Amino acid sequence: MSRTYQDIYQKIILFLLISIIIFFISQSFLIKLENNFIYHIHNNHDYILNNNLTFKKVSIAHYTTLYGIRTDSHTKIFNDNLKQICNILDPKDYSLADSVFVSLVDFVRFPILSNGISYRSQHQSQLWIVHSEESPRNSYRIIDMKNITDLDDWFNLTSTFKPESDFHIQYRGYRIKPEIGDLLKNKLNISLHQSINLTLDLLSDTFINGSSIYLNTVLSIFHKELINRKNILLNICPYTCNQPLSSHAIKSLQPYLKQTKQKILNQNIVYIAWFVSNCNTHSRREDYVNKLRSQKGIHIDIYGNCKSIYHSPISSIQCQTLKSNCTENILLNYRFYLSFENSKCDAYITEKYWIQGLNGHAVPIVLGAKKEQYQRIAISNSYIHVDDFQTIEDLAKELHRLNKNYSDYSKYLQWTQLYDISHRYKPTSIIDMHSTLCFLGHYQYLHSLKEKNQQILYLMHIIRKIFNITNMRLPNFNWTTAKTNLIRISQFYNPNVNCWDNNYPSIFKQIYNYLFTWWKLF
């Protein structure tokens, strides 16, 4: 019996040893296979050029959803021209993509290779872009990390509200009204900066009749894209977008501007409207409103979902039926509107300013990003910033002064005669992130070629020109080396670095707000 047990024991030991050997051999084989696969993917372009084959498209994959919306190979992203050289992959194929898109709000964790080797070290040439349309306070909702430094040295490009981002995103943008630009140029002899070079780029036959199918095709497509984008920009932004008029130009225009019609309101009572749905915030805006409302002669009506157990919020039939003119019709009855953000973070300026605030009927009072950031991004003289006042009492006094002095008040609405507001004028409305990533992918491929003929150099010039005409700076992309530095997110988009507000209200503070703060407001 003991002999039998000994044989079984030896067989088990032998089986375990063989299993361990097989495991290490298989892991070594998989690593070698993966490295060969990566090498093949990254050198595929040279092979295509040398052998004149149908070329591989630059591919992009969404590693996450975008606010719960899936982007995959069936999603229509590119126009018919760019479809020939750009491709969207399914999320599961992100490891095969040239660029990977990540929405911070939907992000959970980074990919991990089964062999324990860092995914990023094996895919160094991939461009990873991090995107957020929230403040740093609200971007890390479901992420699985111990510290925000876990995100460092992974992403190549950024897409946030910060102007320093590679893609500066906004809810809206503005342009000089074409008729105002024409008036300044033709009648007042004041020249404005032209956003587009009107010189037509002619494509020489020398550059489209090369020996490479890839170069001929890509060059033709990029040249069409350059002309197309020039025409679009000339139509949308003939006198630049998101660039204010000079004080000299505005002063010269005064005789030609109409006087805004005065609202017949009680001059002793300042009527203010506020649309709000988030009742407990990092910025503590609810506390600020509570104190402002306690000032003599300040009347604030609140619309939205916030309420106390004692009072229900004021509601509008139009708002309840979701009519598009809800906000506009309501604000006809108010002089001011509270554009208060839920967080006080760098450049965090949302629809509360761009959409509700710039309604053209009531002057927005803003709280959130710092004043100098509003001066850099927002329309000048279109808002009142709370930071201009040392106390809430000082703000209330200024509101009373403007309420009685319509001439000074109307200056805050004069922008409506100078600028147009639209999502089409956003900094990234023309070149979207997907086409940009596609262009950069081709640029990197071309740059990696050891021998560059005139056709390749001209093609690289065309790609750079597309970015120049649309003021796409891409500060983290080096055009000389065609490389990027990995970004330290812990410094670029960290609530402890880029915000100066409070922690989210505790459960006790939320109960207090529910019982008392909102009770007072209503």
Side-chain angles (χ1 to χ4, degrees), residues 443-458:
Y443 188 88
Q444 287 180 315
Y445 282 137
L446 295 169
H447 186 276
S448 67
L449 300 176
K450 294 180 180 179
E451 296 183 4
K452 299 180 180 65
N453 58 31
Q454 290 299 312
Q455 189 182 30
I456 293 173
L457 293 174
Y458 182 73

Side-chain angles (χ1 to χ4, degrees), residues 167-213:
F167 302 96
H168 176 208
I169 57 176
Q170 290 178 181
Y171 276 86
R172 293 288 187 273
Y174 67 95
R175 71 169 184 179
I176 300 170
K177 286 180 178 288
E179 59 269 27
I180 292 295
D182 293 341
L183 176 61
L184 288 168
K185 180 181 177 181
N186 301 325
K187 193 166 186 176
L188 300 177
N189 295 319
I190 297 177
S191 60
L192 296 174
H193 173 68
Q194 196 76 31
S195 59
I196 303 297
N197 180 3
L198 297 177
T199 304
L200 182 63
D201 294 274
L202 299 177
L203 186 59
S204 171
D205 291 339
T206 305
F207 294 128
I208 59 175
N209 293 321
S211 59
S212 169
I213 295 176

Side-chain angles (χ1 to χ4, degrees), residues 343-483:
S343 304
K344 295 180 180 179
C345 299
D346 283 337
Y348 186 55
I349 304 173
T350 71
E351 82 286 349
K352 297 173 185 65
Y353 167 76
W354 285 109
I355 300 178
Q356 288 97 355
L358 296 182
N359 57 79
H361 301 292
V363 175
I365 304 169
V366 301
L367 176 150
K370 295 177 181 177
K371 180 183 176 181
E372 54 267 28
Q373 293 170 338
Y374 268 90
Q375 291 173 330
R376 181 179 179 183
I377 297 171
I379 299 176
S380 59
N381 210 39
S382 67
Y383 58 88
I384 297 171
H385 201 295
V386 298
D387 288 354
D388 280 333
F389 307 93
Q390 291 186 351
T391 65
I392 294 177
E393 290 78 11
D394 291 339
L395 171 60
K397 289 178 183 177
E398 176 63 9
L399 297 180
H400 275 293
R401 187 189 73 81
L402 293 172
N403 199 45
K404 295 178 180 179
N405 188 332
Y406 191 77
S407 176
D408 286 353
Y409 169 84
S410 63
K411 292 178 182 178
Y412 286 100
L413 296 176
Q414 195 173 82
W415 67 265
T416 60
Q417 300 183 59
L418 304 175
Y419 306 104
D420 293 319
I421 308 294
S422 173
H423 69 278
R424 297 193 303 162
Y425 313 141
K426 296 189 295 184
T428 55
S429 60
I430 305 302
I431 288 189
D432 67 5
M433 288 171 282
H434 297 90
S435 59
T436 298
L437 293 172
C438 177
F439 298 165
L440 292 181
H442 285 287
Y443 188 88
Q444 287 180 315
Y445 282 137
L446 295 169
H447 186 276
S448 67
L449 300 176
K450 294 180 180 179
E451 296 183 4
K452 299 180 180 65
N453 58 31
Q454 290 299 312
Q455 189 182 30
I456 293 173
L457 293 174
Y458 182 73
L459 178 52
M460 294 173 69
H461 165 74
I462 289 292
I463 295 175
R464 294 187 68 166
K465 199 163 188 177
I466 290 176
F467 287 93
N468 289 336
I469 66 170
T470 48
N471 294 317
M472 289 291 290
R473 298 183 301 275
L474 296 176
N476 206 49
F477 186 82
N478 188 319
W479 291 98
T480 303
T481 63
K483 294 181 180 179

Side-chain angles (χ1 to χ4, degrees), residues 239-257:
Y239 295 106
T240 75
C241 281
N242 302 300
Q243 294 292 326
L245 290 165
S246 67
S247 56
H248 170 64
I250 293 176
K251 184 177 180 180
S252 302
L253 285 167
Q254 292 305 312
Y256 302 91
L257 300 179

